[in-house]
Amino acid sequence: MLLVDLMRLPLGNRGNKTEQAGPTVLFLILSLLLGIGCAYYIALETFVLFVDLILNGIYFVFLGGEVLLSVFAAITFYNSVPV
């Protein structure tokens, strides 16, 4: 998950600074994959500590906010492209 997160953040940064929908959509896809990994650690892991639940819950909240904002940004970037 760390490697995916390290690839995801520069994509979102580049997509936001250049206002391109492509990197922003890739950022969104990688964020959804990380959400699946986070849900695995919360629900399907055999031995989960309480601190793991808290930290993964916080990560899940921030990841959800990033996904929501990236959807709005991708829509805005896609609509602002001149034809």
Side-chain angles (χ1 to χ4, degrees):
M1 281 181 51
L2 177 66
L3 294 176
V4 175
D5 206 14
L6 290 176
M7 291 185 316
R8 178 183 70 95
L9 291 174
L11 273 174
N13 190 11
R14 183 176 51 187
N16 190 26
K17 287 182 180 177
T18 60
E19 294 186 358
Q20 293 178 345
T24 308
V25 170
L26 288 175
F27 172 81
L28 179 63
I29 292 169
L30 291 176
S31 296
L32 293 175
L33 289 174
L34 283 174
I36 292 170
C38 188
Y40 168 77
Y41 281 129
I42 290 175
L44 300 175
E45 189 72 22
T46 303
F47 183 71
V48 180
L49 297 175
F50 185 67
V51 70
D52 291 331
L53 290 175
I54 292 172
L55 290 176
N56 278 318
I58 292 170
Y59 185 68
F60 213 40
V61 167
F62 280 109
L63 194 62
E66 289 176 355
V67 166
L68 185 66
L69 291 174
S70 68
V71 166
F72 289 137
I75 290 170
T76 303
F77 299 155
Y78 182 73
N79 288 336
S80 68
V81 172
V83 176

